[in-house]
Amino acid sequence: MYGIYLLSVWLHILAAITWIGGIAFLVFVVVPWLRRSDRTIAVTFLRETGERFRAVGWICFAILLVTGTYNLWFRGVRFGDFVRSAWLHSTFGKAVVIKLALFVVVLIVSAIHDVSIGPRAALAMEQEPGSLHAERLRRKASMLGRLNALLALALVAAAVVIVRGWPW
């Protein structure tokens, strides 16, 4: 059983690295490069890159959900613990609840970005380049992407606390 747990932890970390690394690549490499390139090419490239990364991101979320659930189960966490006051007020319980809450927020923000705002922004930037409507949608998509990047960092911090404990 311990070997399966280690495999699950490895897959969990690999999925997190892939998702967070993809966000970092988009935020720190792709978007700044696109700002300096031809607008038409940039919009097409960003749309196509976003569509491909969207699939990778949601696969990572599925892997994180399955492996995270198994990892908690292996460490002795059961569904009943989430209604036990003593567990919820323990340092470990608080860290788990924070991480799960952050994960739910990430899923919501990602869904809004990936299903609604992102595709609409890309379409508007292709069909109405330079319009106020396209710019507003682009800003919203950008804001949601940045929010997810910050949430990703908070998730990593919560994961560290789960494994190593609170710093105070």
Side-chain angles (χ1 to χ4, degrees):
M1 285 298 271
Y2 189 68
I4 294 171
Y5 170 69
L6 290 179
L7 176 63
S8 179
V9 170
W10 180 79
L11 286 171
H12 195 81
I13 292 170
L14 187 61
I17 289 168
T18 302
W19 174 62
I20 294 169
I23 289 175
F25 179 73
L26 286 171
V27 169
F28 296 120
V29 177
V30 174
V31 172
W33 173 74
L34 291 176
R35 285 190 180 135
R36 292 187 300 260
S37 64
D38 177 273
R39 194 75 163 163
T40 307
I41 294 170
V43 169
T44 302
F45 183 80
L46 189 58
R47 180 183 47 78
E48 290 180 8
T49 304
E51 287 170 358
R52 289 174 189 244
F53 183 66
R54 181 179 310 138
V56 171
W58 285 97
I59 289 168
C60 287
F61 291 154
I63 292 168
L64 289 166
L65 180 65
V66 171
T67 58
T69 301
Y70 178 79
N71 296 346
L72 286 174
W73 177 85
F74 187 86
R75 293 186 66 181
V77 177
R78 301 297 181 260
F79 288 115
D81 291 330
F82 290 93
V83 294
R84 288 189 321 109
S85 180
W87 186 83
L88 288 171
H89 289 90
S90 70
T91 56
F92 179 74
K94 287 177 187 175
V96 169
V97 169
I98 288 169
K99 186 175 180 198
L100 292 176
L102 286 168
F103 185 68
V104 168
V105 173
V106 161
L107 292 177
I108 292 167
V109 170
S110 294
I112 292 168
H113 180 276
D114 293 354
V115 175
S116 178
I117 304 298
R120 287 178 29 222
L123 184 63
M125 289 176 0
E126 284 180 340
Q127 293 179 348
E128 324 162 28
S131 73
L132 184 60
H133 175 69
E135 184 57 26
R136 283 184 182 152
L137 286 171
R138 186 199 63 74
R139 276 195 219 122
K140 284 182 183 178
S142 178
M143 188 254 333
L144 290 171
R146 288 183 182 127
L147 176 59
N148 246 357
L150 292 174
L151 289 168
L153 296 176
L155 272 167
V156 171
V160 170
V161 169
I162 286 172
V163 175
R164 299 292 180 208
W166 293 93
W168 50 84

